[in-house]
Amino acid sequence: MVHGPPASRRRASAAHRPYAWPGLDRAFYLQVAALAATAEGRALAASLDRRDAAARPSRPMGLPLRLRPGLRCELDAFVAAYHRMIETIVAAYPHDARLRQVLTIPEPLRAELASARDEKVHLLRLDLMPQPDGGLRVLETNANCPGGLSRSGLSQAAWRPLLTEHGIGLPAPLPSESELWTGRWLVDLAEGHTGRRPHTVAVLCPRGANHNDVHAYGVSLARLGIRALHGDPRELRAGEAGGVVLRGKPVHHAFAKIGMQDLLRMSGELQPYLRAVREESLFVQNGLRGRVIGDNKLCLAVLSDPQFADLFAPEDCRRVRPSVPWSRNIAGCDATTVRQIIGDRNRYVLKRPLDTRGHGVIVGKEIADDAAWGEAVGRAIEEGWLVQEYCSAPQIRTDPDLPPARHDLELGVVSGRLAFAFVRVGHEERLNTARSGRVHPLYL
């Protein structure tokens, strides 16, 4: 029997009263805002906007934010435990019928996974919603090709000298602040995984798709002395011994920026790419199983459900599960729970398992009437979507001329370690930068 969230959690999430998250240092932001209004601050912000415009971001970067002291160690331990649990799901998927029942994988990707051998998730980003009590709720795991790591780190590094010069204290930098880190982490990872340092890296992104971070990878790799071959993954052709070539050049390593819906649509045109990744003759971050399973929003249904506790280390469960909102595959919910979901749309969100950038997300409180919500629930049941307890967002004022805005917390993890962080601020329920969300660099 699959039931809805406990009554205590339902009451807490139903209040939806405006609140400020105590984890953000408000005094720090006021200091930064005052500095940003000076000639030096305006010049720095303008230079960052010009740099970002060349890389085609969705909108200018916001001013830096800082977490209150003492949270860094807690977040380090949390993301390490969370990463272990996601990798456990990826590794157990082929052998655990319960996981295959919960994790909706559409064809043809299901067939691709049947023979994929990878079990690692090298890179992921956690989308977190801060809570009034100072805690966090995990809304999604981005383990396909998460964005934001390059831009946020470069902005933190750019602001650091000016802030320090004016006596504004800062914590030790995250790895993403290091010069050329965007390319270096990928190259080091590829060398450790394959035993050889890349001379050429294919930077793959479909034409017309989301190119966030793609430019930064090409620039960083080139400055490291590595040839970056930009191309559409459909351009890859089969090479010798199961390898692939891009425009006549053999490639053994790649950075792949391919959204899941693009991967589904183009799978018939991507057979050389898929075969090489599946057989591990082409190294890409997160492989194939790591992407399709690790990025699947239904991983939250696994982490939320006590029946899967036997998969994980008890200490990891104790650390992570309190931060996972009630989440289930709605196709597996019993009739009583489905009626509860239909009858109280303000308490629930529906999410297509493999989608991104705010697409495939239906927030119940945004639906105008019961009939439309009922239709959405019916579709979600038919297609096996995630249903999740609604989590309200904290508010922050970043523009004196506008009302307070909503914000989240984004934590990036490379090989199980916290590597980059930022905050998205906006006025919509969905804070994606593809919509109205604006990124603020974050010091931890």
Side-chain angles (χ1 to χ4, degrees), residues 27-42:
F28 171 84
Y29 183 76
L30 294 176
Q31 287 181 290
V32 173
L35 181 57
T38 66
E40 290 176 292
R42 289 195 300 270

Side-chain angles (χ1 to χ4, degrees), residues 320-337:
V320 169
R321 282 200 63 211
S323 295
V324 178
W326 182 88
S327 307
R328 295 293 188 272
N329 185 328
I330 194 171
C333 289
D334 58 49
T336 300
T337 302

Side-chain angles (χ1 to χ4, degrees), residues 9 77-86 88-89 98 136-138 299-325:
R9 291 283 288 274
F78 178 82
V79 299
Y82 192 93
H83 176 260
R84 285 191 293 268
M85 294 178 81
I86 292 295
T88 296
I89 295 172
R98 301 172 302 168
L136 299 167
R137 295 287 182 271
V138 183
C299 283
L300 272 296
V302 175
L303 298 179
S304 167
D305 193 339
Q307 75 162 320
F308 290 102
D310 61 291
L311 286 176
F312 310 110
E315 58 271 25
D316 287 346
C317 284
R318 284 192 294 270
R319 187 176 294 276
V320 169
R321 282 200 63 211
S323 295
V324 178

Side-chain angles (χ1 to χ4, degrees), residues 193-315:
H193 188 81
T194 65
R196 56 180 171 179
R197 193 162 185 83
H199 299 292
T200 299
V201 173
V203 181
L204 303 173
C205 186
R207 289 182 295 274
N210 167 26
H211 276 67
N212 287 351
D213 284 340
V214 170
H215 174 77
Y217 273 96
V219 170
S220 184
L221 288 167
R223 290 183 61 191
L224 288 168
I226 295 166
R227 178 169 56 182
L229 276 181
H230 290 265
D232 188 302
R234 290 169 289 190
E235 297 180 71
L236 291 174
R237 299 291 180 263
E240 296 180 1
V244 288
V245 297
L246 178 60
R247 296 194 294 278
K249 304 290 185 181
V251 290
H252 304 283
H253 309 89
F255 169 76
K257 180 80 173 181
I258 309 171
M260 281 296 169
Q261 294 303 308
D262 288 334
L263 191 65
L264 281 166
R265 280 193 299 272
M266 302 186 312
S267 60
E269 304 173 77
L270 294 177
Q271 286 310 302
Y273 166 80
L274 290 171
R275 181 172 57 253
V277 174
R278 187 176 64 238
E279 296 175 356
E280 300 183 318
S281 60
L282 176 67
F283 172 83
V284 299
Q285 80 282 9
N286 291 357
L288 188 58
R289 269 173 41 198
R291 286 168 175 257
V292 177
I293 298 171
D295 195 67
N296 195 307
K297 293 177 175 60
L298 287 162
C299 283
L300 272 296
V302 175
L303 298 179
S304 167
D305 193 339
Q307 75 162 320
F308 290 102
D310 61 291
L311 286 176
F312 310 110
E315 58 271 25

